[in-house]
Amino acid sequence: MSNFRVELKKVVDDSYDVQIGRNLIPELVGDLTGGLVGNIHKFAVITDSNVEPLYGKPIYEQLIQAGVQAELFVFPAGEKSKVRETKEMLEDAMLAKEFRRDCCVVAVGGGVVSDLAGFVAGTFGRGVPFVNYATTLLAAADASIGGKTAVDTKLATNLIGLIYQPKKVYVDIDAWKTLPKEHLINGMAETIKHACLADYEFFQYIEGHVDEILQCQPEVCEYISEKNCNVKYQVVMKDEKEKSLREILNLGHTVGRAIETVSDYRLLHGEALSIGMVAQVNLGCKLGFLTEEERQRVIALQKKVGLPVEIPSYINREELIQKLYTDKKVRDGKLRFVFQKGIGDVMTFGEDVYARPVAEEEIRDIILQM
């Protein structure tokens, strides 16, 4: 009998830049052809059917004009596409076009695109480099930092995936002007969430600049993009693999993700998150984690932005309650919630413990009252 030890200790630097600006396609193409991803000259541009004509195809065409190989891979827009079957389709399409390990994935679009394309990049050829070109406020707020990639299944949300960091992220504020108003409003949910969990002054700023944000005024949009990035960076820097602190970024998501799924995605992610945030502040207020005035203030801001704050009548409440158990924070079959502490902070429930077990009856009462 013998024992052979495989020593594989190593230090990895996954640092990358987030560039916030306007009309960043020339920057993207210049970086990709200028060595950002090493000596790679083959690019898989992955986008959805909504973004393809606006940004996917122009990026693909400019890469071709720059003298490199590129192919465009498009899947149907919407959260319903964030499943294993779409990932398989993209992988097979890339293999059919003779993509191998000597390629780079370029994710162009919102959160669904970055989640799917990042997951493809992390597993294709056991890992190829990728970059994110974020075209929505939601993606800028939620998907630009952290490297989370995943797909959804009927049994769980975001549990099948990996943390895989991009080489660079581009946040193109000009793209926000092409968004339907409902999608711009949708993106504000993650922005408000970030303010609620980490930055009271940011919350005040949003309260005073809602009109300017929804009008896509450049200086205001750059400011909220930088704030979103900073809040998320401060968390991810300390807990990249979501062992403890990073759970706070799931504020409002326990009910939010469940209601998004139960609605059969009639609700956009931000709309569902907004309702989840209301459930969170309602229960948090009942438990003494924030005052009645603070509860009302959070809800009032979401209303002011145009986000929903009530559960639609078509949602089956009992089905919603049971769907909560597919949340990734569930431990030993028990529901766990992240709660904000007032506005601009989060509750802690022990050393490195940021989620509190919640009895089904506690949240049932809140949901039935909404």
Side-chain angles (χ1 to χ4, degrees), residues 11 39 72 77 195 204 212 223 228 234 253 270 276 307 321 340:
V11 176
N39 193 32
L72 187 60
Q204 285 183 305
E212 293 95 325
Y223 178 82
N228 275 320
Q234 293 300 329
H253 280 66
L307 289 162
I321 290 164
Q340 65 187 79

Side-chain angles (χ1 to χ4, degrees), residues 42 44 69-73 87-101 103 120 124:
K42 193 167 187 176
Q69 290 180 273
E71 294 288 347
L72 187 60
F73 301 93
K87 180 174 182 284
E88 180 181 359
M89 178 272 289
L90 291 169
E91 291 163 340
D92 286 349
M94 287 173 63
L95 290 170
K97 291 289 186 178
E98 299 185 348
F99 278 76
R100 297 296 185 264
R101 297 189 67 185
C103 72
V120 169
F124 193 86

